[in-house]
Amino acid sequence: KQEVTQIPAALSVPEGENLVLNCSFTDSAIYNLQWFRQDPGKGLTSLLLIQSSQREQTSGRLNASLDKSSGRSTLYIAASQPGDSATYLCAVGSGYSTLTFGKGTMLLVSP
Amino acid sequence: EAQVTQNPRYLITVTGKKLTVTCSQNMNHEYMSWYRQDPGLGLRQIYYSMNVEVTDKGDVPEGYKVSRKEKRNFPLILESPSPNQTSLYFCASSLGTGRAYEQYFGPGTRLTVT
């Protein structure tokens, strides 16, 4: 059964710092990996989708990488801003039906 | 605007009183699913549907029912809710399944069963 782990569970940084969020998964037979953002009490906003054949995806200040063989993905956030404060969730698509989620990294960016 | 909508957004009910949470998407997506989110447990899939009249169980289906009579709608039914079904529920949809398909999530329904 696929298991997804996100480290760290919480992270606090000053505004302007570059930061990396980590995601690891146990079964490398994946279809894709998706990073989401969740604001308190709100829904999930898709940030980036990496297909299993891809190594990375970029959107603005966000860059996500995927190393399928080692079971790892990272989300890099450049020049962090207070508006980036949220919980970031990594989800692995392992088949036609299932996204397996990590428990998230809670990010706080202070002004 | 392309979106997944859920209703109601908040619901407080009592044990045993049947309820339905609706989910609708306007993107002509084939695939839809339901998740619940609980502190310390993360998001877990309840049911999914590959297309009209095609549904299957996810990781935590006990106590829930679903139906997919129309492509755009995928209601979640709790026939006899219990307090352990108190949770935050999300509906999601995608154009298809597999590598290239991104899942889109609704805003969530916070359910409390007393």
Side-chain angles (χ1 to χ4, degrees):
Chain A
K1 184 182 175 183
Q2 181 74 268
E3 292 182 4
V4 180
T5 303
Q6 290 188 247
I7 295 173
L11 181 63
S12 182
V13 301
E15 181 177 6
E17 272 204 9
N18 302 324
L19 57 99
V20 175
L21 308 181
N22 296 292
C23 172
S24 62
F25 47 94
T26 54
D27 186 348
S28 62
I30 69 170
Y31 275 43
N32 56 38
L33 187 144
Q34 200 165 347
W35 282 94
F36 293 89
R37 167 188 173 136
Q38 185 176 26
D39 293 285
K42 302 289 175 101
L44 280 68
T45 301
S46 178
L47 298 173
L48 290 163
L49 170 75
I50 310 176
Q51 298 178 35
S52 60
S53 58
Q54 297 175 324
R55 298 283 294 188
E56 66 178 338
Q57 281 286 340
T58 298
S59 175
R61 294 183 293 110
L62 305 179
N63 176 276
S65 68
L66 174 64
D67 184 343
K68 206 171 66 159
S69 61
S70 68
R72 294 179 189 277
S73 175
T74 61
L75 179 67
Y76 176 83
I77 303 177
S80 58
Q81 303 170 358
D84 294 330
S85 298
T87 295
Y88 290 81
L89 295 165
C90 167
V92 173
S94 302
Y96 286 108
S97 63
T98 300
L99 272 184
T100 304
F101 282 83
K103 294 193 174 123
T105 294
M106 188 181 304
L107 173 65
L108 177 63
V109 182
S110 51
Chain B
E1 180 190 353
Q3 59 183 352
V4 179
T5 57
Q6 296 178 226
N7 282 292
R9 295 288 315 280
Y10 303 91
L11 179 59
I12 301 173
T13 190
V14 296
T15 298
K17 186 176 180 182
K18 180 180 179 179
L19 66 92
T20 299
V21 183
T22 65
C23 173
S24 182
Q25 49 90 9
N26 62 1
M27 297 170 277
N28 201 35
H29 284 174
E30 288 192 351
Y31 176 83
M32 298 184 74
S33 63
W34 278 101
Y35 294 83
R36 60 178 288 174
Q37 185 177 34
D38 302 288
L41 296 176
L43 279 123
R44 296 174 293 167
Q45 190 181 54
I46 303 170
Y47 268 95
Y48 65 93
S49 170
M50 304 284 278
N51 213 324
V52 175
E53 302 291 2
V54 180
T55 63
D56 207 347
K57 298 176 182 178
D59 294 325
V60 288
E62 295 77 20
Y64 304 96
K65 285 177 58 177
V66 293
S67 68
R68 187 93 181 273
K69 294 183 169 51
E70 306 166 281
K71 198 171 187 178
R72 64 182 292 129
N73 296 322
F74 189 44
L76 179 69
I77 303 157
L78 285 71
E79 295 269 2
S80 183
S82 62
N84 65 11
Q85 292 178 298
T86 293
S87 187
L88 180 57
Y89 292 86
F90 290 103
C91 179
S93 74
S94 67
L95 186 60
T97 58
R99 293 178 180 81
Y101 297 116
E102 187 174 2
Q103 287 205 32
Y104 296 87
F105 280 73
T109 294
R110 186 166 294 281
L111 171 66
T112 302
V113 183
T114 62

